[in-house]
Amino acid sequence: MKPSKKVGLVVIIAVIVIALASLFTIYSRQARERGDLQDKLSRAETLLPTLITQRDNLEDQLVQAQSSLDDSQAKFPESVESIEYGEDFFKIAYGEKLYTMAGGCGVELTRLTVSKPTDKKVGSVTYSVLSFVVVVEGSIGNMLKFIDAVGTGIDYDLTWGFQLPWSSEVKRINMEIAKSKTTISLDIYGYKGT
């Protein structure tokens, strides 16, 4: 049986209609996407000057913060500036503890100098040793109390003092009674391991 010319024509028209419908759908989708992209581009172009202004403001703030940091660092004493980052915690922790101990003993810590840590081996145990030079001012009784607290680690008011595995060794004391001033050289030992 031969299909008639009408059926063939209908099939060809149907195929053409389906192809045109598919092309129209694809074109419509692309036109919609192009419109969305143009909207996004317009919004981005609108936001660009604002973002550039914000970036410039943030760069200005960064310059000001860096300047402020430089000014703050310049105010620190040289002994603090020489601290290496890997040793910061050890030095700061015990420097702070010495300030707290001074306040607990009623003396004023007027100078604190810290050396670079060294290792000291005693038997099979290795200690990290920090040398401090501490200058305090106050009454003779309070200065003696501070020297005793530093040397023995006694916690008079249960708020400060050295606790194991840390210990200190007072190396030298120079008291200037007329000036109510004492300079103490001491080593603080921290357990490092074998």
Side-chain angles (χ1 to χ4, degrees):
M1 200 186 211
K2 249 184 168 183
S4 70
K5 288 186 178 186
K6 282 186 176 180
V7 172
L9 188 59
V10 169
V11 169
I12 291 173
I13 291 174
V15 168
I16 291 173
V17 168
I18 292 172
L20 288 174
S22 297
L23 287 173
F24 178 76
T25 304
I26 292 170
Y27 176 78
S28 297
R29 188 178 327 126
Q30 287 178 345
R32 197 173 31 242
E33 288 174 359
R34 189 179 324 119
D36 290 344
L37 289 174
Q38 285 177 341
D39 288 345
K40 288 178 182 178
L41 181 61
S42 295
R43 281 182 273 167
E45 288 173 344
T46 304
L47 283 175
L48 184 61
T50 304
L51 293 174
I52 289 172
T53 303
Q54 287 177 349
R55 185 198 64 198
D56 292 343
N57 289 339
L58 290 172
E59 286 175 351
D60 290 344
Q61 289 176 5
L62 176 62
V63 168
Q64 290 173 354
Q66 186 65 44
S67 175
S68 178
L69 175 64
D70 292 343
D71 291 345
S72 297
Q73 285 178 334
K75 292 177 185 176
F76 279 102
E78 282 185 33
S79 58
V80 174
E81 289 174 2
S82 68
I83 295 174
E84 293 181 17
Y85 292 112
E87 302 150 355
D88 278 353
F89 179 75
F90 190 52
K91 289 183 177 182
I92 291 169
Y94 283 97
E96 182 66 31
K97 194 162 281 223
L98 288 169
Y99 275 104
T100 305
M101 290 172 74
C105 291
V107 294
E108 181 183 354
L109 198 151
T110 58
R111 193 180 88 202
L112 176 65
T113 306
V114 186
S115 70
K116 183 177 179 177
T118 59
D119 290 343
K120 183 174 183 180
K121 192 165 186 164
V122 179
S124 64
V125 178
T126 302
Y127 294 93
S128 183
V129 182
L130 267 179
S131 295
F132 285 84
V133 175
V134 180
V135 179
V136 292
E137 295 180 7
S139 70
I140 294 174
N142 286 345
M143 287 190 295
L144 291 172
K145 184 177 177 183
F146 179 75
I147 292 167
D148 184 53
V150 168
T152 62
I154 293 175
D155 190 353
Y156 290 107
D157 61 4
L158 301 176
T159 59
W160 47 267
F162 293 102
Q163 300 175 359
L164 293 176
W166 314 104
S167 64
S168 63
E169 176 185 1
V170 176
K171 304 293 263 181
R172 187 180 63 215
I173 299 170
N174 181 19
M175 286 187 86
E176 298 176 49
I177 295 173
K179 295 182 179 179
S180 299
K181 180 167 117 177
T182 300
T183 302
I184 306 165
S185 298
L186 68 133
D187 290 343
I188 295 179
Y189 292 81
Y191 178 69
K192 190 168 184 176
T194 56

